[in-house]
């Protein structure tokens, strides 16, 4: 029986010139990955952006506060499907191919968006509207559970070792561009449409557009090339195991069990980042509108400005990590976010300007971790289990912590009154510090040759 290859990190040989892929291949890789990722994040995040409108149309109007919390609860329920999606599409990515997983994910996400856009109102079909919303979010949860690990793995494997951190920043940059477009669309619609029209049908427009964008991304991804690293690993694996009986070949769960330490590191690195990002990058404008009573259009414009700052910061952190290493950047980001969380929370009161400044400051620090985390995840695992090795612990973590972030942020305000923001800040800071402690357990991955993982 063959023994698994030792999991040893090897730096790329500086004396050997690094082979760069052709420019046409680079463009196809970046555009296909980025466009599909943007569509998925757009589909996922516009739910939070338009949560207040969804609550008024797909839930009972008798208790608006309960309807809004129920809407956010379904946002959290959508995360429940992500671990299953991570398992399914992670398996597809590692066994069939990264390209197949990416293509299927974006198609499924857009189907969920179409379903939300066409869901009848609560006044029309009663609780059936809420049920249809729940099913659509579960569909999107399956897709998003596979999208991030598949895209992160594919892009990291396609990137030159010396620029992996920089390339990895495309994941959150493109994803945030999708979120930004959704937020911008919400701001424009809220500015030009009467509130009654926005509540009646305007909120559906972004979801229907998401289905159209998904078709375009689906075509683009179908034309991408498969990762050479995956193809070579698959060929080598087939050659090794072909002479052994099936009972002697390692199974998927056996492979995952051998890398349980790396799985725990993925969870540790993700807990604080996912909560901080969903709070300051996605849900805070909705929180400001519903809890702090900030004007809806102004709050959404503040979110647009802050996310532009985030996009600009991402590649800068990625380049820095390729020069000084992943660990210093992760520590600066995690500790900086923890230190700034209280001041930023206290700063946000009843002004859209305060909201925009606080979001921008937090997102600059959050960008440090977000920009390079795809590369860090890829550098933890060998090629044979790289997608599913990240997908399952990542999806479980995001479901448990990221999926409940918006609900807890609003809920703490309802449950604890004036002390709600402080309690939620303490909760998030604790998770950020867990992430910083996990960084100390990592081996530096800058410049590591992924074929030797």
């Amino acid at each position: 029986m063959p023994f698994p290859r030792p999991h040893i990190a090897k730096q790329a040989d500086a004396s050997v010139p690094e082979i760069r892929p052709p420019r046409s291949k680079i463009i196809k890789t970046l555009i296909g990955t980025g466009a599909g990722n943007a569509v998925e994040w757009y589909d996922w995040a516009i739910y939070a952006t338009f949560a207040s409108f969804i609550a008024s149309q797909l839930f009972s109007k008798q208790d608006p506060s309960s309807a809004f919390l129920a809407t956010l609860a379904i946002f959290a329920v959508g995360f429940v499907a992500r671990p299953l999606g991570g398992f399914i599409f992670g398996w597809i990515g590692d066994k069939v191919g990264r390209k197949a997983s990416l293509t299927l994910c974006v198609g499924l996400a857009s189907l969920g968006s179409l379903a939300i856009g066409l869901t009848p109102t609560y006044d029309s079909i009663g609780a059936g509207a809420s049920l249809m919303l729940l099913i659509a979010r579960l569909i999107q949860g399956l897709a998003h559970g596979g999208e991030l690990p598949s895209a992160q793995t594919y892009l990291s494997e396609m990137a030159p070792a010396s620029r992996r951190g920089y390339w990895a920043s495309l994941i959150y940059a493109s994803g945030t561009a999708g979120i930004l477009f959704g937020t911008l669309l919400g701001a424009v619609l809220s500015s030009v449409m009467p509130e009654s029209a926005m509540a009646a049908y305007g909120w559906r427009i972004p979801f229907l557009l998401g289905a159209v964008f998904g078709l375009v991304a689906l075509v683009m991804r179908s034309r991408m090339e498969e990762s050479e690293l995956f193809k070579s690993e698959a060929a080598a694996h087939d050659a090794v195991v072909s002479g052994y009986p099936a009972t002697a070949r390692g199974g998927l769960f056996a492979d995952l069990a051998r890398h349980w330490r790396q799985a725990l590191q993925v969870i540790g690195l993700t807990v604080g980042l996912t909560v901080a990002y969903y709070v300051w990058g996605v849900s805070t404008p909705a929180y400001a509108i519903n809890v702090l009573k900030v004007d809806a259009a102004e709050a959404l414009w503040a979110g647009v400005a802050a996310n532009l700052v985030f996009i600009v910061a991402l590649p800068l952190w990625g380049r820095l990590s390729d020069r000084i290493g992943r660990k210093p950047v992760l520590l600066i980001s995690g500790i900086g976010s923890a230190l700034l969380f209280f001041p930023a929370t206290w700063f946000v009161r009843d002004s859209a300007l305060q909201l925009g400044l606080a979001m921008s400051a937090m997102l600059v620090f959050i960008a440090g971790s977000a920009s390079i985390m795809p590369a860090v995840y890829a550098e933890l695992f060998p090629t044979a289990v790289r997608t599913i090795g990240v997908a399952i612990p990542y999806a479980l973590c995001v479901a448990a912590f990221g999926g409940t972030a918006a609900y807890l942020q609003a809920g703490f305000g309802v449950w604890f009154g004036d002390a709600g923001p402080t309690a939620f800040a303490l909760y998030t800071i604790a998770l950020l510090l867990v992430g910083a402690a996990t960084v100390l357990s990592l081996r530096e991955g800058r410049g590591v040759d992924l074929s030797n993982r």
Side-chain angles (χ1 to χ4, degrees):
M1 179 184 301
F3 291 96
R5 183 170 56 194
H7 187 67
I8 301 173
K10 294 184 180 180
Q11 296 293 126
D13 189 348
S15 65
V16 178
E18 187 173 58
I19 299 176
R20 299 290 179 89
R23 184 175 182 82
S24 61
K25 186 175 182 179
I26 292 176
I27 293 174
K28 187 182 293 185
T29 296
L30 296 179
I31 293 179
T33 307
N37 195 52
V39 169
E40 287 237 25
W41 285 47
Y42 166 88
D43 286 340
W44 188 258
I46 54 175
Y47 183 97
T49 300
F50 293 91
S52 58
F53 300 108
I54 294 172
S56 69
Q57 295 296 302
L58 303 187
F59 293 88
S60 173
K61 296 184 175 71
Q62 292 183 353
D63 188 346
S65 295
S66 296
F68 181 66
L69 286 176
T71 304
L72 293 182
I74 286 186
F75 182 72
V77 168
F79 283 81
V80 174
R82 289 180 65 156
L84 179 58
F87 178 83
I88 294 172
F89 290 104
W91 182 90
I92 292 172
D94 285 334
K95 300 302 179 183
V96 180
R98 319 308 197 203
K99 174 183 171 180
S101 180
L102 287 168
T103 304
L104 290 171
C105 283
V106 75
L108 196 61
S110 297
L111 177 63
S113 187
L114 178 64
I116 294 175
L118 297 178
T119 298
T121 64
Y122 186 92
D123 291 340
S124 300
I125 61 172
S130 306
L131 178 61
M132 290 182 65
L133 177 66
L134 174 62
I135 294 172
R137 286 299 293 176
L138 289 174
I139 290 173
Q140 289 188 320
L142 287 173
H144 211 69
E147 167 65 22
L148 269 179
S150 298
Q152 291 169 350
T153 297
Y154 178 77
L155 197 63
S156 295
E157 290 181 349
M158 297 293 284
S162 64
R163 306 190 73 190
R164 191 180 302 124
Y166 180 54
W167 278 44
S169 67
L170 174 68
I171 296 296
Y172 271 86
S174 61
T176 305
I179 293 174
L180 179 61
F181 180 76
T183 306
L184 179 61
L185 183 59
V188 171
L189 290 175
S190 297
S191 299
V192 303
M193 295 180 67
E195 186 174 351
S196 58
M198 189 68 190
Y201 64 87
W203 66 271
R204 297 180 184 272
I205 295 174
F207 292 98
L208 297 177
L209 285 175
V212 176
F213 297 151
L215 286 176
V216 176
L218 187 68
V219 173
M220 295 176 67
R221 285 192 164 178
S222 68
R223 297 175 178 174
M224 294 193 311
E225 298 183 34
E226 184 56 86
S227 160
E228 291 293 336
L229 190 58
F230 169 78
K231 289 192 292 187
S232 62
E233 175 72 22
H237 179 268
D238 290 343
V240 169
V241 304
S242 60
Y244 291 86
T247 54
R249 302 172 192 173
L252 175 63
F253 289 103
D255 288 337
L256 290 174
R258 283 196 292 269
H259 300 93
W260 62 270
R261 290 183 179 84
Q262 291 90 333
L264 289 179
Q265 287 174 324
V266 169
I267 293 173
L269 291 169
T270 306
V271 286
L273 173 62
T274 187
V275 173
Y277 175 75
Y278 272 104
V279 168
W280 292 103
V282 178
S283 66
T284 293
Y287 171 80
I289 293 169
N290 287 277
V291 178
L292 302 179
K293 306 305 178 184
V294 175
D295 178 77
E298 292 181 359
L300 291 173
W301 280 114
V304 169
N307 276 285
L308 281 173
V309 172
F310 184 62
I311 290 176
V312 171
L314 285 165
L316 300 179
W317 284 110
R319 281 187 178 274
L320 183 63
S321 78
D322 285 330
R323 294 189 177 186
I324 68 173
R326 316 290 189 229
K327 294 177 68 172
V329 169
L330 291 175
L331 288 172
I332 294 170
S333 171
I335 295 174
S337 298
L339 291 175
L340 189 60
F341 204 99
F342 261 125
T345 300
W346 290 331
F347 189 68
V348 178
R349 287 294 178 262
D350 57 357
S351 164
L353 177 61
Q354 293 172 335
L355 173 67
L357 290 174
M359 288 180 66
S360 297
M362 283 298 301
L363 286 174
V364 166
F365 279 97
I366 293 170
S369 294
S371 65
I372 63 171
M373 204 60 81
V376 173
Y377 293 149
E379 290 159 0
L380 287 174
F381 293 91
T383 304
V385 293
R386 183 166 290 131
T387 308
I388 199 166
V390 174
I392 293 178
Y394 179 86
L396 287 170
C397 181
V398 171
F401 295 94
T404 58
Y407 182 82
L408 290 178
Q409 184 184 29
F412 277 26
V414 173
W415 304 326
F416 301 110
D418 292 340
T422 299
F424 185 77
L426 288 172
Y427 164 74
T428 309
I429 289 170
L431 297 181
L432 287 167
L433 293 179
V434 168
T438 304
V439 172
L440 300 178
S441 72
L442 299 178
R443 293 174 295 178
E444 180 56 59
R446 177 175 65 94
V448 164
D449 183 356
L450 293 183
S451 65
N452 292 319
R453 298 303 281 168

